[in-house]
Amino acid sequence: MTSITLKRRIPLGALHGTLSTTISIGVILVVLLATLLAPVIAPADPNQGDLLNTLAAPSISHPLGTDSAGRDVLSRLMHGGGTSLLGPLIIVLISTIIGTAMGLLAGYLGGAIDMILTRIWDLILSFPSLILAILLVAAFGPGYWSAVGALAFLYAPILSRVVRSAVLAERGKAYVEAARVQGFSGPRIAFGHILPNVLPGITAQATLNFGFSLLELAGLTFLGLGVQPPQADWGQMLLSGKEALAYGSFSEVIAASAVIVAMVVAFNITGEAFAKKAEGKQ
């Protein structure tokens, strides 16, 4: 049986983008490196407080000062990257796997399955994700994994819609028709031929989702529904630092806010760069 010529796959090579893309990738790498090396380079134990040295101003021993419990802010910021970045990573992995499978199913099969799944996605996405996440976490009990699970469930439809749209555009192309003529099964065509060609769009959306989920996970923690004290976490630092504002101590809130904003913006810019690269190759 003669082989078919598949559509050229889109490489996800280095992003030769603008200066903002390069800076964004650099910010991500620096924060990730600081988080991974936190046990070695952090100046103090993130959970060890000193009640005689609370809300201290920045100094040589405490570069970003201390919080209301006398804990080193810089150490908590570095160690807090562990939970703050692991959660979005799990959310993106779970939502991407589920969303990709559902999007392929709806886009390739069409018909009643497509209509039912699309209506379910529209229903879920018609509500603000943070509000639904609060309801889900409240139903299952506050905690880190409850918040992660709730956001993973809510982000899956976003991926599904992206994949469905891309699959619909690919389904009628010549290489898919050629595969059908040669007797390839539906799953083989969908996962073996269509999926590699829509993968750049999935990568772009997953990158964007990482930044958004990081922000919403921090928001849930700030509301007391995510990471619980005394665990170091960026959202938890916002919550504990809120009370310190009344005493004129801004370092904890500013530090946590700055790194959250920097990472969200960096992932958004990087995700848009992936999206533009994918569109330019199609």
Side-chain angles (χ1 to χ4, degrees):
M1 182 179 293
T2 58
S3 61
I4 63 174
T5 301
L6 297 180
K7 177 183 175 185
R8 180 172 62 84
R9 299 180 182 181
I10 303 171
L12 286 177
L15 293 176
H16 302 292
T18 62
L19 178 61
S20 61
T21 304
T22 303
I23 294 175
S24 297
I25 295 175
V27 168
I28 294 171
L29 292 177
V30 168
V31 174
L32 181 60
L33 186 62
T35 299
L36 293 175
L37 296 179
V40 178
I41 64 176
D45 185 331
N47 296 321
Q48 183 176 358
D50 181 4
L51 296 180
L52 298 179
N53 193 30
T54 61
L55 302 179
S59 61
I60 296 178
S61 56
H62 300 289
L64 295 180
T66 62
D67 64 6
S68 57
R71 298 170 298 194
D72 184 73
V73 171
L74 178 59
S75 298
R76 289 185 63 77
L77 191 70
M78 296 174 67
H79 282 272
T83 55
S84 299
L85 297 177
L86 178 61
L89 177 61
I90 295 175
I91 291 169
V92 168
L93 287 176
I94 294 175
S95 62
T96 299
I97 293 173
I98 296 175
T100 299
M102 291 194 301
L104 279 171
L105 183 65
Y108 185 76
L109 295 181
I113 293 178
D114 182 29
M115 183 184 68
I116 293 172
L117 288 176
T118 301
R119 294 298 176 269
I120 294 174
W121 302 337
D122 290 342
L123 178 62
I124 295 174
L125 295 176
S126 63
F127 297 94
S129 58
L130 186 59
I131 299 299
L132 279 181
I134 292 173
L135 293 176
L136 290 173
V137 174
F140 291 99
Y144 180 68
W145 295 112
S146 295
V148 169
L151 290 175
F153 170 77
L154 296 174
Y155 273 79
I158 299 175
L159 241 300
S160 297
R161 295 183 67 173
V162 171
V163 175
R164 174 185 175 273
S165 298
V167 171
L168 288 175
E170 296 289 323
R171 190 175 62 179
K173 293 187 177 179
Y175 75 97
V176 176
E177 293 298 327
R180 290 198 188 102
V181 169
Q182 293 200 18
F184 291 173
S185 65
R188 179 175 177 182
I189 296 174
F191 288 94
H193 302 319
I194 295 179
L195 179 58
N197 289 302
V198 302
L199 192 59
I202 296 174
T203 303
Q205 186 60 53
T207 305
L208 291 170
N209 286 351
F210 191 103
F212 292 131
S213 62
L214 189 157
L215 182 62
E216 293 193 342
L217 187 60
L220 288 174
T221 299
F222 178 76
L223 294 174
L225 299 174
V227 176
Q228 301 298 307
Q231 176 67 48
D233 177 83
W234 297 340
Q236 186 60 232
M237 291 179 67
L238 291 178
L239 178 60
S240 62
K242 178 186 65 173
E243 300 176 358
L245 294 177
Y247 299 95
S249 177
F250 305 95
S251 60
E252 185 175 15
V253 169
I254 291 177
S257 300
V259 73
I260 290 173
V261 170
M263 289 297 281
V264 171
V265 172
F267 273 102
N268 282 340
I269 293 175
T270 304
E272 290 178 0
F274 273 115
K276 290 179 181 178
K277 188 174 180 66
E279 291 173 0
K281 293 292 185 178
Q282 296 189 14

